[in-house]
Amino acid sequence: MIKIHILTLFPAMFHGFLSESIPFIAQEKGKLSVNLINIRDFSEDKHRKVDDYPYGGGAGLVMKPEPIAGAIESVLKNIQPDNECSEKTTESIIKSSEAKIPIIYFTPQGRLLNQQTIRNYLITPEIIIVCGHYKEIDQRIRDKYITDEISIGDYVLSGGELPAMVFTDAIARLLDDVISDLESALTDSHENGLLGYPCYTRPYEFQGMKVPDVLVSGHHKEIEKWCKEKSMELTAKIRPELLGKKMENG
Ligand code: ADE
């Protein structure tokens, strides 16, 4: 079971995502639990304000540090490994559990997310995700709490909510028994460092286009060879840099 705590100003954005398809199945099967926390609930301001103008000027609003810190600490308090040490400071909780509880911040400044990164998180029972919105979050939150800064691509989104969903979905589908056909997950694009091969289903002929002969031949060895070749061909054409990496890593 993996528990993902998502700290956001927009929890409702996750409702549809969590109630359909693989993320829903993962929760139903008790493999995934998602705890949505509204950062606004931790605002100390009477108007529940969560953002303010940046010091030094410039466009855009910055998310204030206190509500985010309050939200993170509320989660850490409940998941510190030895709950009986209630006098522990948050700092010591973070330090002692640092290796076990990643606190992820999604940002275009982070390192690029890939399938291996996702796999690395499968062994962490609890994950905290901080979703920024507006221009940025206060740097002091990043300095003190954030353990991992991750980007989902070289483009800019309006917040960390979509990256948090991308991450949660990629985790959910790899959890034991969530996808019935394990083979299917293992032959996906990127699982072996290559893009996936083309897939076909019935009908055999569609708008004059037939399924490649080898796939209906029944020769498993030949089919496997064809899949590998197509994977290589496609990767060489679309993402040649992946082939280079695969050669380096063996
Ligand atoms: N927040 C805004 N844009 C982002 C991106 N590309 N990746 C991760 N988090 C983001």
Side-chain angles (χ1 to χ4, degrees), residues 229-247:
E229 280 169 8
K230 287 289 166 192
S231 248
M232 294 286 268
E233 256 173 50
L234 201 65
T235 311
K237 189 167 156 211
I238 313 279
R239 299 285 305 277
E241 80 281 8
L242 292 180
L243 277 183
K245 270 193 207 149
K246 192 166 168 64
M247 300 299 175

Side-chain angles (χ1 to χ4, degrees), residues 5-12 14 35-45 47-51 62-75 103-106 128-134 136-138 141 146 159-161 164:
H5 306 266
I6 302 180
L7 281 47
T8 171
L9 288 175
F10 302 98
F14 292 86
N35 178 22
L36 292 172
I37 294 171
N38 192 336
I39 295 172
R40 200 176 289 279
D41 291 343
F42 295 85
S43 170
E44 291 158 6
D45 182 278
H47 302 294
R48 306 230 301 158
K49 193 172 155 161
V50 289
D51 51 24
V62 176
M63 280 175 70
K64 291 164 70 57
E66 309 94 315
I68 305 177
I72 294 175
E73 289 185 20
S74 79
V75 175
I103 305 183
I104 302 174
Y105 174 53
F106 286 105
I128 300 176
I129 298 178
V130 176
C131 300
H133 221 91
Y134 314 120
E136 252 309 343
I137 62 171
D138 189 287
I141 291 295
I146 301 299
E161 283 76 12

Side-chain angles (χ1 to χ4, degrees), residues 106-108 150-153 155-157 159-160 163:
F106 286 105
T107 164
I150 301 178
S151 166
I152 63 159
Y155 45 84
V156 181
L157 299 165

